[in-house]
Amino acid sequence: MPQQKDIVRIAIQMTGVFPQLIQLDQKKPLSAVIKEVCTCWTLPGPENYALQYTDGVQTYITESNRLDIKNGCILRLTKTPGRCAEDLFKGIQSTESGVRCDSLKELAGISKDVTFAQEFISRDGHLLLVKIVEDSKESNVIMTHTLTAFMALMDHGIVSWENLSSVFIKKIASFVNSAPFDASIQQVSLDILESMVLSSYSLFLLVKQEITTKRLIDHLHVTNQQIQTKAMALLMALLQTAGDSDRQEMLKLLNDKSFRQYICKDIIHSSGTVQDEMAHYLYVLQSVTLNQLESRMKTPLDVYNQEQRDALHKLRDSAFDVESENLSHERRRSLCAKEFKKLGFSNNSNPGQDLVRTPPGLLALDTMCYFATQYTEAFKRFVLENSSREDKHECPFARSSIQLTHILCEILRIGEPASETGSDYHTIFFNQDKLLEELFCVCIQLLNKTWKEMRATQEDFDKVMQVVREQITRTLANKPTSLEFFKNKVNALNYSEILKLRQTERLHQEETLAPPVLELKERLKPELLELIRQQRLNRLCQGTMFRKISSRRRQDKLWFCRLSPNHKMLHYGDVDEDAENPPIETLQEKIPVADIKGLLIGKDCPHMKENKGKQNKEVLDLAFTIIYDVEEYSLNFIAPSRTDFCLWTDGLSVLLGREMSSEAMRSELEILLSMEIKLRLLDLENIPIPDSAPVVPKPPSNYNFCYDFSQTEQ
């Protein structure tokens, strides 16, 4: 008895008879199954019959693919592939054009089946099709069926493309070169030529001799979208197979301004939406073109190359109009070092070292020089504006440019081979010459704007670059059609907008969480907030060293403040500079926590109002004041860092019975919630959890395994 899993319930039909419903035993040979069906219908010669799907590509059922049959499938009892191949082989050679046409039409459909294709090719049927094409005596309809059948047979890879004669190739090329000509024949001919080009370099050379790039571009101007797509496919095949010199020649034509404008106007904009296949070829064209920059991106600056050194000094000269001809060698060298530092190079004595890292290599120098040459005033304004800022707040042009070039290379996928399925092209590419360079010129000015909006310091460099990357990717995702459109959109997407978008996306993400997860999150919040409160109070108990700032803005005296262990007193007093953590007994002054009436921050603080107009933004962001006693005395603080400011204002808020509100608290709460939820959702069934933490291993005897990142940066 066959097992239930080996039984498939199917229907088998045949023209002129009532269908049979059978239970197909997958363990039984197909020949035996066919014999039973033929017996039921009293058909002689079961060896002359085969089973075939009725839907889609009407594939023959064989022992190798029979397991794909599912319950409910409808199969057809038909001629074996061998008999079918023999009949069609004879029909193609009939003296009657109607028989030839019908045979070729049927052949075009059934040739997609590999079992049939093997039978037909074994009879040299493909050579018969080649002869029909070479003779070229048939009507356009018959020729279309012939080429379609030939393409379907060749797609199986049974016969090598290289076996084709030059006469056949010339004939196929003539179909493409003829204008006007039957669109169906041209469409299949373009398909055949594409497969030839992709199969071997020798065939690429033969096709290239017969078909010009200009002729293929002409095919893109027709209204037939299928012809456009097939012509673009052949163009991309030629482009990807070509050697460097041929590729450069083709790209020169394909990157012609009029051609790119045509792509934008007639292919992208006119149709509204581009077909997936055409979108892929536009993506390939973009990829191949941009990858011409790969060699510059992967080439480090050679400090001994005079041309590259001259380009660096020309960049410096563009920024600073300083006469140095009459200066001594040492004085000139010192001046150059200062100017390269103002330009934002990390190694101001040897700025070429900044461009050794690849990527972006020499491409970063190219983009900087392009900006300095094409947008000289904007370049000078960037450099001089940042030269006048405090060292801590200046936006380094060179360092920013190098990182920005790297980011743009990653976004535009420069150096990555074109994906076989990629379709993510940028419309702006077809509307703009020198896309990378022009995007850089827009984005470097955006970077400077974002730097100011974030009030960034050198420590915030990576954070600013992350925001700029987000601004660029979000804007490009909206498919800008021109550089001007991109510029307007990306500048409108300022830092505050980025923060709003992040918040909106985070809320949306939370809304999409399953209700039990949201409920768990709300249940965990009080516990984690209490953990943060205790941490803040413990930090106040440890105390912090503060500096007094006099009216002359001199940071001359130190004082220390800490909370008593019972959380009832704030102890403070002046200390010496070498006192790291003075005992609570040595602090002369104290304020009962019960007497604290309020907490002020920033410009509301009395010591900030006294020096109104003199305090910079950095000091304002670190200032806070305690108001205490009935007389409303005040104790003024300027935190040593933003972290200390958040810890103290949160801790004092806890003492006053208020909610904590610092950005540090919100960040820590989010991290703790995320970690706790992940831990709670872990599948820990049958996993033993120890009661105590594992023993920390002893430190290693040496640290020779550590990697020195400074070598890479240099």
Side-chain angles (χ1 to χ4, degrees):
M1 285 288 293
Q3 295 185 16
Q4 193 64 31
K5 64 179 181 179
D6 296 326
I7 299 298
V8 183
R9 293 169 178 82
I10 60 170
I12 299 179
Q13 63 182 30
M14 186 178 180
T15 306
V17 295
F18 194 77
Q20 291 186 46
L21 299 176
I22 70 166
Q23 293 188 353
L24 174 64
D25 181 2
Q26 291 284 29
K27 295 292 185 182
K28 185 183 291 186
L30 271 179
S31 57
V33 174
I34 293 169
K35 186 176 181 179
E36 288 177 2
V37 173
C38 289
T39 301
C40 182
W41 280 331
T42 63
L43 296 173
E47 67 277 2
N48 295 320
Y49 292 94
L51 292 174
Q52 187 183 45
Y53 286 107
T54 57
D55 299 328
V57 178
Q58 296 172 8
T59 310
Y60 278 101
I61 306 299
T62 64
E63 291 291 352
S64 59
N65 67 13
R66 63 182 294 173
L67 293 178
D68 295 333
I69 301 172
K70 307 297 182 187
N71 278 316
C73 275
I74 301 175
L75 305 182
R76 178 191 297 117
L77 187 68
T78 186
K79 292 183 288 187
T80 61
R83 272 185 63 197
C84 186
E86 188 64 37
D87 291 347
L88 290 177
F89 187 77
K90 290 175 181 176
I92 291 168
Q93 300 177 77
S94 172
T95 55
E96 296 182 24
S97 62
V99 175
R100 292 200 304 276
C101 186
D102 291 342
S103 298
L104 285 164
K105 184 179 180 180
E106 185 181 346
L107 178 65
I110 201 170
S111 291
K112 295 173 184 176
D113 179 74
V114 66
T115 309
F116 169 83
Q118 288 169 337
E119 291 289 345
F120 191 75
I121 289 171
S122 69
R123 292 165 171 76
D124 290 334
H126 63 294
L127 297 180
L128 184 57
L129 299 180
V130 168
K131 189 174 186 308
I132 293 172
V133 173
E134 290 177 349
D135 292 345
S136 196
K137 295 176 182 177
E138 298 288 3
S139 66
N140 287 347
V141 175
I142 289 180
M143 188 59 71
T144 301
H145 293 325
T146 303
L147 293 173
T148 305
F150 176 79
M151 186 65 205
L153 290 169
M154 295 300 289
D155 270 346
H156 297 296
I158 301 168
V159 180
S160 171
W161 286 95
E162 296 199 46
N163 293 337
L164 298 173
S165 67
S166 59
V167 176
F168 178 82
I169 296 171
K170 288 177 186 290
K171 183 59 69 174
I172 297 293
S174 72
F175 295 153
V176 173
N177 287 329
S178 298
F181 199 68
D182 185 270
S184 299
I185 292 178
Q186 286 192 330
Q187 186 178 320
V188 187
S189 298
L190 286 164
D191 223 354
I192 291 171
L193 290 173
E194 181 198 359
S195 295
M196 287 182 187
V197 169
L198 293 174
S199 66
S200 77
Y201 188 70
S202 59
L203 284 177
F204 157 77
L205 294 174
L206 286 171
V207 174
K208 183 177 174 293
Q209 287 176 357
E210 302 299 327
I211 305 286
T212 64
T213 304
K214 189 175 182 308
R215 181 68 190 113
L216 289 175
I217 290 174
D218 289 341
H219 278 299
L220 295 175
H221 289 73
V222 301
T223 55
N224 186 315
Q225 284 193 356
Q226 288 298 320
I227 294 286
Q228 284 182 339
T229 303
K230 297 300 181 184
M232 182 64 87
L234 179 53
L235 268 171
M236 293 306 102
L238 288 164
L239 191 61
Q240 289 179 291
T241 313
D244 289 340
S245 59
D246 289 327
R247 186 180 292 120
Q248 290 294 339
E249 184 182 335
M250 290 184 69
L251 283 173
K252 191 174 180 181
L253 286 170
L254 294 172
N255 287 319
D256 179 72
K257 193 170 185 179
S258 61
F259 173 71
R260 289 150 79 96
Q261 286 176 344
Y262 165 75
I263 291 285
C264 276
K265 181 182 176 184
D266 288 15
I267 293 184
I268 297 175
H269 291 163
S270 65
S271 59
T273 56
V274 176
Q275 293 178 343
D276 290 345
E277 202 175 351
M278 178 60 85
H280 170 67
Y281 298 130
L282 293 176
Y283 154 79
V284 171
L285 176 56
Q286 172 188 288
S287 178
V288 173
T289 304
L290 289 174
N291 278 345
Q292 298 300 297
L293 301 168
E294 182 180 5
S295 60
R296 297 289 287 178
M297 182 186 76
K298 292 185 176 179
T299 304
L301 184 136
D302 181 0
V303 292
Y304 299 106
N305 185 300
Q306 189 61 44
E307 184 182 347
Q308 294 170 15
R309 290 169 61 190
D310 288 346
L312 266 176
H313 285 284
K314 186 178 178 182
L315 184 69
R316 177 183 61 84
D317 293 339
S318 300
F320 307 104
D321 300 324
V322 180
E323 293 291 335
S324 58
E325 292 180 3
N326 299 325
L327 300 176
S328 66
H329 176 71
E330 286 300 320
R331 182 78 182 89
R332 190 186 301 115
R333 191 172 176 182
S334 173
L335 180 63
C336 285
K338 287 180 181 177
E339 290 176 345
F340 276 123
K341 184 179 180 183
K342 287 181 180 179
L343 263 176
F345 284 95
S346 302
N347 192 331
N348 55 307
S349 59
N350 188 4
Q353 289 294 327
D354 287 27
L355 294 161
V356 168
R357 181 168 64 97
T358 59
L362 287 175
L363 199 54
L365 179 60
D366 295 342
T367 53
M368 286 190 283
C369 290
Y370 184 88
F371 182 50
T373 306
Q374 301 298 320
Y375 301 88
T376 308
E377 290 305 314
F379 167 66
K380 286 183 176 181
R381 188 163 57 248
F382 186 114
V383 176
L384 296 177
E385 179 184 315
N386 284 286
S387 299
S388 60
R389 293 180 190 165
E390 296 178 42
D391 285 350
K392 194 174 181 182
H393 287 275
E394 67 178 359
C395 176
F397 172 74
R399 184 185 175 195
S400 300
S401 297
I402 293 167
Q403 189 61 26
L404 177 60
T405 305
H406 190 192
I407 287 172
L408 288 172
C409 286
E410 288 181 340
I411 291 173
L412 297 174
R413 297 189 180 93
I414 296 174
E416 294 182 20
S419 163
E420 291 183 5
T421 57
S423 59
D424 188 19
Y425 67 91
H426 298 290
T427 307
I428 190 175
F429 167 79
F430 299 97
N431 230 343
Q432 181 62 53
D433 293 332
K434 294 187 174 294
L435 178 64
L436 174 73
E437 292 85 345
E438 290 293 341
L439 281 180
F440 172 85
C441 294
V442 172
C443 295
I444 192 67
Q445 296 175 78
L446 167 74
L447 192 153
N448 190 39
K449 173 174 166 283
T450 304
W451 186 280
K452 289 185 286 186
E453 289 170 354
M454 294 175 68
R455 299 185 179 91
T457 64
Q458 295 290 336
E459 289 77 16
D460 300 319
F461 181 83
D462 290 337
K463 185 179 177 183
V464 174
M465 297 311 299
Q466 287 173 3
V467 172
V468 171
R469 178 192 283 271
E470 191 172 341
Q471 289 170 316
I472 297 169
T473 51
R474 284 183 183 273
T475 305
L476 286 176
N478 290 326
K479 301 289 182 185
T481 53
S482 67
L483 187 70
E484 191 62 31
F485 184 81
F486 172 82
K487 184 178 179 180
N488 293 336
K489 287 292 183 183
V490 81
N491 280 299
L493 196 61
N494 54 37
Y495 180 53
S496 61
E497 285 297 316
I498 289 290
L499 293 179
K500 287 178 188 175
L501 287 169
R502 288 177 176 176
Q503 178 67 12
T504 303
E505 288 167 2
R506 186 160 53 245
L507 289 172
H508 177 70
Q509 189 177 10
E510 288 178 357
E511 287 172 5
T512 57
L513 290 173
V517 177
L518 289 173
E519 185 182 340
L520 176 61
K521 197 171 185 179
E522 289 304 315
R523 282 172 52 194
L524 290 172
K525 264 187 184 179
E527 180 185 340
L528 296 176
L529 279 170
E530 183 58 32
L531 184 66
I532 296 173
R533 288 191 197 98
Q534 290 303 319
Q535 188 270 340
R536 297 298 194 258
L537 293 175
N538 290 340
R539 185 66 184 79
L540 264 59
C541 290
Q542 292 174 16
T544 303
M545 190 84 73
F546 298 92
R547 284 189 179 273
K548 292 182 178 179
I549 297 184
S550 66
S551 57
R552 296 181 183 179
R553 296 176 63 84
R554 288 176 54 208
Q555 297 183 355
D556 45 7
K557 288 186 179 180
L558 295 172
W559 64 288
F560 196 85
C561 185
R562 70 191 306 173
L563 180 66
S564 63
N566 61 8
H567 302 169
K568 292 185 177 181
M569 288 285 181
L570 269 180
H571 297 263
Y572 66 97
D574 295 343
V575 293
D576 296 329
E577 196 157 350
D578 56 354
E580 289 186 6
N581 195 10
I584 200 167
E585 298 80 15
T586 62
L587 303 175
Q588 307 89 349
E589 306 291 337
K590 59 184 178 181
I591 301 171
V593 170
D595 289 349
I596 298 176
K597 306 299 180 186
L599 173 67
L600 304 175
I601 61 172
K603 60 184 180 182
D604 296 329
C605 299
H607 58 314
M608 294 295 103
K609 290 180 179 178
E610 290 169 8
N611 299 291
K612 192 175 181 181
K614 297 180 182 179
Q615 303 296 351
N616 62 31
K617 181 67 175 65
E618 182 183 357
V619 175
L620 278 171
D621 286 344
L622 300 176
F624 62 98
T625 296
I626 294 172
I627 305 297
Y628 64 97
D629 209 355
V630 289
E631 301 293 333
E632 294 197 349
Y633 293 114
S634 63
L635 182 61
N636 301 319
F637 298 75
I638 293 178
S641 68
R642 187 67 187 173
T643 302
D644 287 303
F645 172 85
C646 293
L647 290 169
W648 272 85
T649 52
D650 281 346
L652 291 168
S653 295
V654 172
L655 291 174
L656 291 169
R658 300 177 183 174
E659 294 292 327
M660 298 178 290
S661 59
S662 74
E663 66 266 23
M665 181 278 297
R666 290 193 293 271
S667 174
E668 289 168 19
L669 179 61
E670 195 62 39
I671 292 169
L672 289 170
L673 274 172
S674 176
M675 289 174 60
E676 192 67 27
I677 286 173
K678 287 174 183 175
L679 286 171
R680 296 288 181 99
L681 296 178
L682 279 176
D683 184 6
L684 298 177
E685 189 177 351
N686 299 323
I687 298 176
I689 300 174
D691 296 327
S692 57
V695 179
V696 178
K698 292 181 180 180
S701 57
N702 64 69
Y703 293 88
N704 296 338
F705 54 84
C706 289
Y707 184 75
D708 186 0
F709 284 97
S710 62
Q711 298 297 320
T712 305
E713 293 173 359
Q714 292 176 0

